[in-house]
Amino acid sequence: MIAIGGIIGPGLLVGSGNALHLAGPGGILISFSLVGIIVFFVMQSLGELATLIPVTGSFTEYAQRFVDDSLSFALGWAYWYLWVTVLANEYNAVSLVIRYWTDVVPQWAWILIFWFIFLSLSMLGVLAYGEVEFWLSFVKIISISVFFIVAIFISAGCVGPQKIGFKYWHDPGAFADSINGVAKTFVIAGTLYAGTEMVGITSGEADNPRRAVPRAIRQVFWRILIFYVGMMFFIGILLPYNSPRLLAPGSKTAASPLTIALDEAGIAPAASLINALIVIAVISAGNSSLYVSSRTMLFMARNGKAPKVLGRTNKAGVPWVALLFSNLVACIAFLSVSSSAGTVYDALITLSGVATFIVWGAIGVVHIRFRNGMYAQGQSIDALPFKAMWYPYGTYAALAANVFLVFFQGYTAFLNPFSATDFVTNYILLPVFVLLVLGYKLWKKTKWVRLEDMDIWSGRRAELEEDVDNKGGNLWRRARDIVIG
């Protein structure tokens, strides 16, 4: 539940409108489907590692043990930056969504209000986090499911002033800017999918990871298909990509495409209800963003890769310094107050999307190295409690796709006229990541881990009798597990 619900936030519910504006209904289906396939194989790789070695440091720790400590350093900071940027996106998105009702309260005030709400909830501890996140995720999933049903009635003409069908696929069309629009939405898809790898972070605190992690991994494909691709499909048939109400660079206010679709169908009360649920979803998404960013920073601080003060915790084990630090950096969201909200939002989405592809690519490298280490040490793959599907083909394909997308997503900056701003936004993280790796390697004089010396044993838990997940059950139970977990 947390793995899927925690990433259904204002990014998906509002950012999907920007994706529709840039690529059109056909374009977003292509970009989100392709990135969804990549996510599936990345999760297969991470699932194999997290089931066998469930540690809170997750792939950041795996990089340290299986590849090179310098990669772990750069990966940890990149992943922390990713979630801080996602958090800033959420602050910006909620300040835009609330302006659907009123613009009396300034945007900066809404950001500040939610800043304190997120921080307060995150200070409650992991048990409170899990309980709050479960119920908020449940509300989001049910709400989106209801929207899908209503969308079918609106498209068929049962609700609203007209029968829509696939009208907007013909006028203004299925693609907003041909292949260029699709390329621009890859980073949006990457950002909105970011968080599926949260399973690796939470596995270290799970009571029974050998049962919980494989279940979560098996459900990823269906949840991607239903909630992400499904969302893109329905907003693509209900709204034209050239709607002036969609979030786009240059806009000062924006509503979720869900809200716009219901409003234009004449269901104003339902539109306001959906908007209210989106605001509630912000609390859940912000909760998850702060949880992951603070735990990543906690691991970094305790392993000498960040200032030690960031590793301090209170009596409940809450890394309060890392939480406060991450939330303070997320105040880059206030940039939207002094410039066009849509332009800042677009830039933040791009930066976090590129960071996502870098992190996913690193997970592939770590998984390949782990398998090679097992072979070198004479360990049988049959002993793994969970094996990645279609290895090595799926892992290598996902790695190659992530490397390709890191460079391909920004090629539109080179089109006439050349855009220096877009070029910097799309590619600045690449040299920064390389400098982090090389700088730490020279500073600490780290060495590439030899396959024979690789630590593939620390962090394993004794196998429990109940670790074997029962794959049986009736159709209702299977459907419930896919949607709810």
Side-chain angles (χ1 to χ4, degrees):
M1 172 68 80
I2 292 176
I4 190 67
I7 55 177
I8 299 178
L12 176 63
L13 303 179
V14 178
S16 54
N18 191 30
L20 176 62
H21 171 79
L22 292 173
I28 57 174
L29 278 181
I30 292 174
S31 60
F32 275 78
S33 297
L34 291 178
V35 176
I37 294 173
I38 296 173
V39 170
F40 174 77
F41 286 109
V42 169
M43 291 302 296
Q44 289 289 314
S45 296
L46 184 58
E48 180 175 299
L49 296 168
T51 304
L52 182 68
I53 310 174
V55 290
T56 304
S58 190
F59 44 84
T60 306
E61 180 171 340
Y62 302 148
Q64 175 182 315
R65 291 163 55 173
F66 305 154
V67 187
D68 191 306
D69 201 24
S70 61
L71 176 63
S72 174
F73 173 79
L75 186 59
W77 279 103
Y79 195 58
W80 171 82
Y81 168 79
L82 162 63
W83 279 103
V84 168
T85 311
V86 169
L87 180 60
N89 287 337
E90 289 159 1
Y91 283 135
N92 196 37
V94 69
S95 66
L96 295 173
V97 169
I98 288 183
R99 290 164 74 90
Y100 170 81
W101 289 302
T102 178
D103 57 0
V104 174
V105 179
Q107 185 183 354
W108 65 265
W110 288 119
I111 295 176
L112 191 62
I113 290 170
F114 280 93
W115 191 92
F116 282 104
I117 292 175
F118 291 175
L119 186 62
S120 300
L121 287 174
S122 298
M123 291 292 184
L124 297 179
V126 66
L127 293 179
Y129 161 78
E131 188 68 20
V132 171
E133 187 60 27
F134 177 87
W135 288 110
L136 290 178
S137 297
F138 180 78
V139 170
K140 288 188 289 186
I141 289 172
I142 294 300
S143 301
I144 291 177
S145 301
V146 171
F147 171 76
F148 287 170
I149 296 173
V150 175
I152 294 173
F153 285 107
I154 295 175
S155 180
C158 301
V159 178
Q162 61 177 330
K163 179 180 178 180
I164 298 176
F166 286 86
K167 168 186 174 182
Y168 297 127
W169 280 65
H170 300 285
D171 182 20
F175 296 91
D177 190 17
S178 64
I179 188 65
N180 297 334
V182 176
K184 293 176 182 177
T185 55
F186 276 125
V187 288
I188 298 178
T191 300
L192 302 190
Y193 277 123
T196 49
E197 72 287 332
M198 196 187 304
V199 172
I201 303 293
T202 57
S203 67
E205 300 183 27
D207 293 330
N208 195 348
R210 291 200 177 193
R211 182 173 185 269
V213 174
R215 285 185 64 186
I217 298 301
R218 284 196 297 269
Q219 294 160 7
V220 164
F221 173 78
W222 296 107
R223 291 174 175 180
I224 287 174
L225 181 65
I226 294 172
F227 294 108
Y228 284 85
V229 180
M231 176 69 74
M232 298 306 116
F233 172 76
F234 282 114
I235 66 171
I237 64 175
L238 294 182
L239 294 171
Y241 67 75
N242 58 359
S243 171
R245 299 181 65 183
L246 291 173
L247 176 64
S251 63
K252 279 288 185 180
T253 62
S256 164
L258 285 70
T259 306
I260 298 172
L262 294 174
D263 191 31
E264 294 192 351
I267 320 175
S272 291
L273 180 60
I274 287 290
N275 222 47
L277 289 171
I278 292 172
V279 173
I280 294 175
V282 175
I283 301 175
S284 169
N287 205 22
S288 297
S289 298
L290 273 177
Y291 175 86
V292 177
S293 60
S294 62
R295 267 58 181 184
T296 300
M297 188 53 61
L298 177 66
F299 169 80
M300 299 282 287
R302 289 182 172 179
N303 285 271
K305 297 179 177 66
K308 289 184 178 180
V309 67
L310 296 174
R312 291 184 180 178
T313 59
N314 59 20
K315 293 181 180 180
V318 178
W320 64 274
V321 180
L323 279 170
L324 185 59
F325 174 67
S326 299
N327 213 19
L328 283 172
V329 176
C331 286
I332 56 176
F334 284 105
L335 290 173
S336 61
V337 176
S338 60
S339 61
S340 172
T343 302
V344 173
Y345 184 83
D346 184 56
L348 292 176
I349 280 281
T350 300
L351 289 170
S352 50
V354 175
T356 302
F357 294 137
I358 292 175
V359 170
W360 288 348
I363 291 175
V365 172
V366 168
H367 183 215
I368 293 169
R369 286 282 297 173
F370 166 74
R371 280 292 189 102
N372 291 341
M374 289 197 69
Y375 291 136
Q377 297 183 26
Q379 300 299 312
S380 174
I381 302 302
D382 295 331
L384 293 173
F386 177 84
K387 291 184 280 293
M389 183 183 295
W390 297 343
Y391 183 89
Y393 309 107
T395 302
Y396 276 98
L399 172 58
N402 279 304
V403 173
F404 171 75
L405 288 178
V406 163
F407 292 96
F408 176 72
Q409 53 80 27
Y411 89 93
T412 53
F414 297 96
L415 301 179
N416 288 327
F418 173 77
S419 174
T421 301
D422 290 346
F423 175 79
V424 172
T425 301
N426 292 331
Y427 295 109
I428 186 63
L429 287 186
L430 294 179
V432 170
F433 187 81
V434 172
L435 285 174
L436 286 175
V437 173
L438 296 179
Y440 192 82
K441 191 171 185 64
L442 292 174
W443 180 32
K444 294 290 186 178
K445 295 180 174 56
T446 63
K447 295 183 179 179
W448 186 266
V449 178
R450 298 173 66 247
L451 298 178
E452 296 78 9
D453 301 332
M454 188 179 295
D455 179 11
I456 60 175
W457 299 100
S458 301
R460 297 192 186 191
R461 298 188 190 180
E463 185 174 355
L464 303 175
E465 186 175 341
E466 62 270 21
D467 279 344
V468 180
D469 187 19
N470 181 15
K471 297 182 182 180
N474 57 32
L475 183 62
W476 164 248
R477 178 185 173 184
R478 293 180 182 179
R480 181 200 65 188
D481 288 344
I482 289 174
V483 176
I484 299 177

